[in-house]
Amino acid sequence: MTEGRTRAAEEPGPAGAGVGAGRGGPAGPGGPAAAGETARTAPGAGAGVPAGIAPTVDLAAIQEAARTIAGFVHRTPLLGSAAFSELAGADVFLKLENLQKTGSFKVRGAFNRLSRLDAAARARGVICASAGNHAQGVALAGSRLGIPVTVVMPETAPTTKVVATRGYGAEVILHGEGYDGAYDLACRLAEERGLTFIHAFDDPLVVAGQGTVGLEILEDLPDVDTVVVPVGGGGLIAGIAIALKARRPGVRVVGVQPQEAPALARAYVTGRLEPVERARTIADGLAVKTPREMTFRLIRRYVDGMVTVSEEEIARAILLLLERAKLVVEGAGAAALAALLSGKIPEAGRVAVVVSGGNIDVNLLARIIERGLLEDGRLIRIRTLVADRPGSLQALLKVIADQGGNILAVYHDRLRHEVALGEAEVELIIETRDTAHVDAIRRALADHGYTLQGLEVEPARAGGAAGLRGL
């Protein structure tokens, strides 16, 4: 690595840099020179790497990773979407890593890393910290390679991911409220037990494995203009960007983080790598409080922009992927599409959107579906008063039925102190077609003398959304 290239890798980009703020191209056919940053590893992270293998990431390392993981991981499809192309005003292709083994791209880096361990390290075993997807990737890779795996997961990790990780044969320890708490314990256990720590992103071999996604995108869509990638710790986008810039320097690479977990997005702009106070988001796979130096430098050097998306935008993208593409996608996997659909990546052209994972908790998915139906006017909850005598409830229901509303639930209460004697409060959950249909039901009820007390959205039933559309 030349001195000039080293400086280039360390130079911060312009303040306020966003989409379209370039960082320079690759250093020739051998891959980006600035990608040769040495990873700052956790305790035990370097154990088992064969002598003579430099801890660097370049095109050659990614190509070697592709050969290593071939036959173990799926080569996931890159599918064009007419529906999302129309919504985004771009030519949209979805890179479906939610269809990958374990439901996430993470298995690529995990298998590449574990396959390079020496015999002694394999015998001792490995440990990792993860909110779920890296855990499953390491667990599956370990089971295939005969390596004992211990995983520390946050206590808040989705149940589906905990169960799946145990199902692959790993010992699972639940600790801490988020990734960082799980990480601290995993590091201590690595020292105490002599285990090799497999970092989710701060490891050159892991980054190289994730970079194989970029190789596949170029093979399937050689004339791609923009690639949009979700960002947590940065391993996926770093690997993809290195692969893309080495082969096609003009491809624009844009990273997406949740507004509730924006550590690398902020660092990209400020040039300062600082943890965020909290990282709580429905995109749990992107909830990283403390980024690392290696991926940060790679992102600053090779990524062309970073944007953030709200929880509402992520939830909306999850629902659209389910409805329009029949794809079950987790929050992290929907983040890149959320940015595109919300207009935060203009002039995307032929754009590949990385759908990074599909391991969503079914209870969260149910809340997102209900929340989306409420926002679209396809599900409403109303409260009104009726006379406490036979036939009154039937009359109310008939008004709604005559308007084509499908009543899903009825709650009838005459005992509340706020309800006068001789009256009963009725709360209805109604399935509707759209907002126009909601308005028609509202007018019909008003015409029949019913006073509507409005729509209330309770956190337990609608994902905690306040201020959703009501009557």
Side-chain angles (χ1 to χ4, degrees), residues 341-379:
L341 295 181
S342 60
K344 297 180 181 180
I345 307 174
E347 300 178 359
R350 290 173 70 80
V351 54
V353 176
V354 179
V355 181
S356 60
N359 296 315
I360 188 169
D361 183 82
V362 292
N363 293 316
L364 174 60
L365 181 60
R367 292 196 297 271
I368 288 172
I369 291 172
E370 184 175 4
R371 184 173 181 162
L373 293 174
L374 285 162
E375 289 178 334
D376 286 347
R378 291 185 288 168
L379 190 69

Side-chain angles (χ1 to χ4, degrees), residues 32 37 89 94 134 223 225 297 329 349 357 435 466:
E37 300 291 346
L94 305 176
H134 180 59
D223 56 347
D225 298 308
R297 289 190 177 190
V329 175
T435 54

Side-chain angles (χ1 to χ4, degrees), residues 54-81:
T56 61
V57 188
D58 56 18
L59 178 61
I62 295 171
Q63 291 171 327
E64 177 62 24
R67 291 188 289 270
T68 298
I69 68 177
F72 173 73
V73 305
H74 294 315
R75 194 189 188 291
T76 55
L78 182 71
L79 300 181
S81 171

